Amino acid sequence: YALVRYWGLSAWAAFGAALVALGGGYFLSVMNMYNHFFSAAWTPSIILFFQRFLARGGVGGFLGATACLACQTLVCSPEHVILTAFILFAWSNFGMPADGRIVGMARRVLALAAMGAAAMGIAALQLLPAYALLKESSRSGGMFFADHSRWSLDPDALFTLLVPKSFDGMMESAEPFSVSFIQSI
């Protein structure tokens, strides 16, 4: 909602965009995996603050984007952090108007790299307590090869990377939905 309002659209347009985004296929495909869902929810805030930083300059937008990116990182979904970085790179260099305080591809890429490094530095502070508690985890001893190769992508299922399976009844099913992660590009 806030991102669409920042773009100058009406409150009703922003409300509609928020509903469509939340009810869209992307959020529905990650709703059963909380870390992915919570990580994806940080993306619009990161885009908003980073765009504000590129347009206005100053410390506020940079710190806001850095804090949101650090929170997205701490949710433990590195796939979404990488996806957000690609979105920011593409948007700031090819989709956003070339005006503002931070102009030029090199300066925008440098700003994005600085934000990413600062966010990873903030998130790294959590690594020390996590490392100390690692020995308490059932995963500290590693996993057998069969356990983590069982869910590898079946060669017969490569077509579903482009065209998803039919999930007609997914929302009506009383049983837990067991399909994992994003179903197609």
Side-chain angles (χ1 to χ4, degrees), residues 110-121:
L110 184 61
L112 179 60
M115 183 190 77
M120 295 307 125

Side-chain angles (χ1 to χ4, degrees), residues 14-74:
F15 180 71
L19 286 178
V20 168
L22 188 58
Y26 182 72
F27 276 104
L28 286 178
S29 70
V30 295
M31 71 180 178
N32 61 337
M33 294 169 291
Y34 299 121
N35 64 319
H36 296 292
F37 181 78
F38 294 143
S39 183
W42 281 104
T43 304
S45 297
I46 297 167
I47 294 170
L48 170 66
F49 284 117
F50 191 66
Q51 184 176 357
R52 189 178 292 170
F53 167 67
L54 293 179
R56 298 180 187 168
V59 179
F62 183 81
L63 290 178
T66 301
C68 289
L69 186 62
C71 289
Q72 185 183 44
T73 303
L74 289 172

